[in-house]
């Protein structure tokens, strides 16, 4: 039995709980620090205490999956807020070399984000001044990067000059200094790959775009990886909160000498060529990154494959791509003419009947499931035969989540020694994804925001004073969602417990789902 030590990006369920779900359906042991050690949102973790935990936990481990943002800055949001000198960052990063010296056979898989630049003005997860100058900072980065590539027209040049004069110099200097420090940490981490300390590194692009600070830094880091001859061990692609799952799947594949073959099928012929919202490259290219990073390989056809990744893809990208909350009648016209979900559902049925392990990446819209499509899947009687599912936040978040689950599930479905208990844990995670991504993100969240919070005198970010009532309302609505969409045909009865909002906002939810055999089915 192999041991994996995991230092997550932060304490939210997507980073802390999802890899634990994956580990529970394997024979690998996943050890995490106590959640109390990881800080909370803008409150940074105690990096000294984190380092001491890491040194002790890694001594007898086979693998270490480590968030550099947590190790150096104390979490994802603190990595956007810090004023840490580069010398201190380098010292904190050196902990990995100490760990490797104590355990030379330890395989270290690391990840460190290229800091995002949201296109809107809000200080919810950014410095306070981002509430006033966020959109201008995003526009400045976009136009500056485009200008450096020599492609600004006169109108854009005028816009760049206007936005530069609108941002106070102290704000811009603070923002750029922090980005320089974070870019320095990424540079030093790549050097650790060269030195043999880090065995594999993912540098996720958090909420990025075609132009801006993120693609500029990506190009520099890609050139450095090539210069240091570590391109085979460094991957840079869109993502963030799913990387813990991706690297767990990679460790699982490596430990079991398993290279799963995945065939990718799209709901739209445009699917692989569309650039999703919040990302910088076509969906087809991103999927290849997610598969490769997790230890899988893209297969040419469905015959002889280990799993099929059915991808409900957007027919249009970027700002034209819709959100799960967009009313169906207000979607972009291409959703009605340039995708064929009915044929896609028929294809899912065909592959299941042929005995394939089918995973469903539902990324046609952002921030939740494609509700009309999922109703088709349900009415087709297919929900309880799909092996893995995800549809949360960005396309990258969903892809990394569903691919990692599909890899593990496909491995065990090919083993004669699979157990009922392991399979039940895998199904619990699958239904958890349906309840969160479809139930909460696509349906319940908007319902509570518009119909419950106003009656309680609360809002999206201001609800601590009524959180008990909000939690009860979410639970009631999730239970109703299960009754409406999941219960029919299921071999289980579902119980929802411990509903909570990890960062006291409506964006993400936490809960436990318990499965009990349905003796009446």
């Amino acid at each position: 039995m192999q041991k994996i030590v995991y230092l997550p990006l932060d304490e939210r369920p997507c980073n802390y709980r999802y890899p634990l779900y994956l580990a529970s359906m394997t024979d690998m042991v996943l050890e995490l620090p106590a959640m109390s050690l990881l800080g909370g949102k803008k409150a940074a973790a105690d990096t000294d205490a984190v380092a001491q935990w890491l040194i002790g936990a890694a001594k007898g481990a086979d693998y270490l999956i480590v968030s550099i943002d947590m190790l150096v800055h104390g979490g994802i949001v603190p990595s956007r807020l810090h004023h840490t000198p580069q010398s201190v960052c380098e010292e904190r990063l050196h902990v990995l070399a100490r760990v490797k010296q104590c355990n030379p056979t330890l395989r270290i898989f690391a990840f460190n984000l290229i800091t995002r630049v949201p296109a809107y003005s809000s200080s919810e997860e950014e410095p306070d001044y981002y509430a006033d100058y966020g959109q201008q900072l995003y526009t400045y980065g976009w136009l500056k990067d485009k200008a450096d590539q020599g492609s600004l027209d006169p109108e854009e040049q005028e816009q760049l000059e206007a936005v530069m004069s609108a941002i106070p110099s102290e704000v811009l200097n603070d923002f750029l200094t922090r980005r320089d420090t974070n870019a320095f940490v990424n540079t030093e981490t790549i050097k650790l790959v060269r030195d043999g300390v880090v065995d594999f590194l993912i540098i996720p692009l958090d909420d990025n775009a075609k132009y801006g600070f993120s693609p500029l830094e990506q190009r520099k880091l890609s050139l450095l990886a090539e210069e240091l001859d570590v391109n085979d061990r460094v991957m840079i692609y869109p993502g963030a909160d799913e990387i813990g799952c991706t690297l767990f799947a990679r460790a699982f594949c490596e430990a079991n000498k398993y290279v799963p073959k995945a065939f990718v099928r799209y709901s739209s012929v445009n699917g692989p060529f569309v650039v999703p919202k919040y990302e910088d490259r076509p969906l087809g290219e991103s999927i290849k990154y997610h598969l490769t990073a997790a230890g899988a390989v893209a297969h040419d056809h469905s015959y002889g494959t280990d799993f099929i990744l059915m991808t409900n893809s957007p027919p249009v990208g970027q700002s034209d791509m819709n959100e799960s909350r967009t009313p169906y009648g207000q979607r972009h016209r291409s959703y009605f003419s340039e995708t064929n979900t009915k044929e896609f559902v028929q294809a899912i049925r065909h592959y299941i009947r042929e005995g394939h392990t089918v995973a469903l990446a539902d990324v046609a819209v952002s921030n939740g499931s494609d509700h009309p499509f999922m109703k088709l899947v349900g009415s087709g009687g297919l929900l309880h035969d799909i092996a893995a599912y995800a549809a949360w936040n960005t396309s990258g978040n969903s892809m990394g989540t569903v691919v990692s689950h599909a890899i593990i599930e496909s491995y065990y479905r090919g083993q004669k020694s699979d157990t009922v208990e392991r399979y039940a844990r895998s199904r619990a995670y699958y239904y958890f994804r349906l309840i969160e991504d479809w139930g909460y993100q696509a349906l319940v969240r908007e319902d509570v925001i518009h119909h419950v919070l106003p009656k309680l005198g609360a809002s999206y970010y201001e609800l601590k004073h009524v959180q008990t009532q909000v939690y009860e309302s979410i639970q009631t609505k999730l239970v109703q969602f299960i009754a409406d969409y999941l219960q029919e045909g299921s071999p289980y009865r579902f119980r929802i417990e411990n509903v909570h909002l990890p960062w006291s906002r409506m964006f993400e939810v936490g809960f436990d789902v318990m499965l009990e055999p349905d003796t009446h089915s």
Side-chain angles (χ1 to χ4, degrees), residues 30-90:
L30 186 67
E31 182 177 343
L32 287 80
M35 196 176 293
S36 59
L37 194 63
L38 299 179
K41 200 177 180 180
K42 287 190 174 184
D46 182 337
T47 53
D48 289 336
V50 166
Q52 289 305 309
W53 173 85
L54 188 62
I55 291 169
K59 286 180 180 178
D62 299 286
Y63 290 90
L64 169 61
I65 298 171
V66 55
S67 163
I68 303 299
D69 288 294
M70 174 59 74
L71 181 66
V72 173
H73 300 302
I76 182 174
V77 176
S79 74
R80 305 167 186 161
L81 306 174
H82 70 88
H83 292 93
T84 310
Q86 292 185 6
S87 58
V88 175
C89 293
E90 189 173 15

Side-chain angles (χ1 to χ4, degrees), residues 137-201:
L137 287 166
Y138 170 83
T139 303
Y140 170 81
W142 172 282
L143 294 173
K144 188 71 169 59
D145 182 29
K146 196 176 182 186
D148 289 347
Q149 298 184 52
S151 57
L152 284 191
D153 59 34
E155 184 177 343
E156 289 172 326
Q157 183 62 45
E158 185 177 330
Q159 186 182 8
L160 175 59
E161 292 169 3
V163 78
M164 287 176 65
S165 64
I167 304 172
S169 58
E170 62 271 19
V171 167
L172 185 59
N173 288 338
D174 177 82
F175 186 76
L176 294 178
T177 298
R178 187 177 299 105
R179 292 201 71 88
D180 285 344
T181 299
N182 290 357
F184 167 80
V185 172
N186 265 325
T187 296
E188 292 304 304
T189 307
I190 290 178
K191 291 178 182 177
L192 290 180
V193 178
R194 175 202 60 189
D195 297 339
V197 173
V198 172
D199 296 283
F200 184 72
L201 173 64

Side-chain angles (χ1 to χ4, degrees), residues 457-517:
S459 63
Y460 193 99
Y461 296 113
E462 300 293 333
L463 45 77
K464 281 187 177 180
H465 60 296
V466 290
Q467 70 177 21
T468 299
Q469 296 96 308
V470 174
Y471 293 174
E472 289 174 351
S473 178
I474 292 172
Q475 177 154 344
T476 298
K477 293 177 184 298
L478 288 180
V479 169
Q480 186 60 52
F481 163 79
I482 291 169
D484 291 343
Y485 297 107
L486 300 188
Q487 193 59 71
E488 184 177 352
S490 172
Y492 304 102
R493 304 296 298 183
F494 302 90
R495 190 169 77 252
I496 300 293
E497 297 178 349
N498 189 31
V499 172
H500 62 286
L501 300 172
W503 279 359
S504 294
R505 63 183 188 180
M506 291 299 298
F507 186 69
E508 57 270 287
V509 70
F511 60 89
D512 298 321
V513 57
M514 317 299 290
L515 302 187
E516 300 168 349

Side-chain angles (χ1 to χ4, degrees), residues 155-413:
E155 184 177 343
E156 289 172 326
Q157 183 62 45
E158 185 177 330
Q159 186 182 8
L160 175 59
E161 292 169 3
V163 78
M164 287 176 65
S165 64
I167 304 172
S169 58
E170 62 271 19
V171 167
L172 185 59
N173 288 338
D174 177 82
F175 186 76
L176 294 178
T177 298
R178 187 177 299 105
R179 292 201 71 88
D180 285 344
T181 299
N182 290 357
F184 167 80
V185 172
N186 265 325
T187 296
E188 292 304 304
T189 307
I190 290 178
K191 291 178 182 177
L192 290 180
V193 178
R194 175 202 60 189
D195 297 339
V197 173
V198 172
D199 296 283
F200 184 72
L201 173 64
I202 297 177
I203 301 178
L205 295 154
D206 186 12
D207 288 5
N208 66 311
K210 182 178 180 180
Y211 295 108
F213 292 108
S214 293
L216 174 64
E217 292 168 20
Q218 176 189 187
R219 292 193 297 273
K220 290 180 179 179
L221 294 170
S222 296
L223 290 172
L224 177 64
E226 172 63 23
E227 179 185 325
L228 298 181
D229 198 24
V230 294
N231 245 339
D232 59 330
R233 288 167 282 162
V234 176
M235 296 187 69
I236 308 175
Y237 62 91
D241 293 317
E242 81 290 347
I243 301 297
C245 293
T246 298
L247 290 177
F248 180 86
R250 185 180 186 88
F252 176 85
C253 286
E254 185 174 290
N256 288 283
K257 297 181 173 54
Y258 180 50
V259 183
K261 300 180 291 294
F263 174 63
V264 185
R265 173 76 144 75
Y266 299 89
S267 60
S268 169
V269 295
N270 295 332
F273 311 108
V274 162
V275 179
K277 189 180 288 189
Y278 314 117
E279 300 191 359
D280 70 340
R281 66 198 67 190
L283 177 61
E285 294 300 327
S286 288
I287 289 177
K288 288 188 286 185
Y289 274 100
H290 287 286
L291 290 171
T292 306
V297 61
H299 201 43
D300 296 333
H301 44 73
S302 61
Y303 179 76
T305 194
D306 292 296
F307 68 92
I308 295 178
L309 183 62
M310 299 298 288
T311 303
N312 182 31
S313 51
V316 66
Q318 294 297 328
S319 59
D320 289 329
M321 181 179 170
N322 292 129
E323 301 279 336
S324 65
R325 66 176 180 271
T326 305
Y328 188 56
Q330 295 178 21
R331 287 189 178 186
H332 189 272
R333 60 165 185 80
S334 61
Y335 282 89
F336 301 97
S337 58
E338 297 176 34
T339 186
N340 193 332
T341 53
K342 295 177 181 66
E343 183 277 339
F344 191 63
V345 170
Q346 179 174 292
I348 293 174
R349 179 180 296 107
H350 168 73
Y351 289 128
I352 289 173
R353 284 176 176 172
E354 283 198 333
H356 290 282
T357 298
V358 173
L360 178 54
D362 185 8
V363 296
V365 293
S366 300
N367 288 302
S369 299
D370 180 356
H371 180 53
F373 163 70
M374 287 305 294
K375 286 197 297 181
L376 283 177
V377 175
S379 63
L382 301 173
L383 277 180
H384 308 298
D385 295 315
I386 292 170
Y389 177 83
W392 63 287
N393 206 354
T394 68
S395 173
N397 292 150
S398 294
M399 280 299 167
T401 304
V402 71
V403 165
S404 57
H405 188 189
I407 284 173
I408 293 168
E409 187 60 20
S410 68
Y411 174 81
Y412 283 102
R413 289 194 180 188

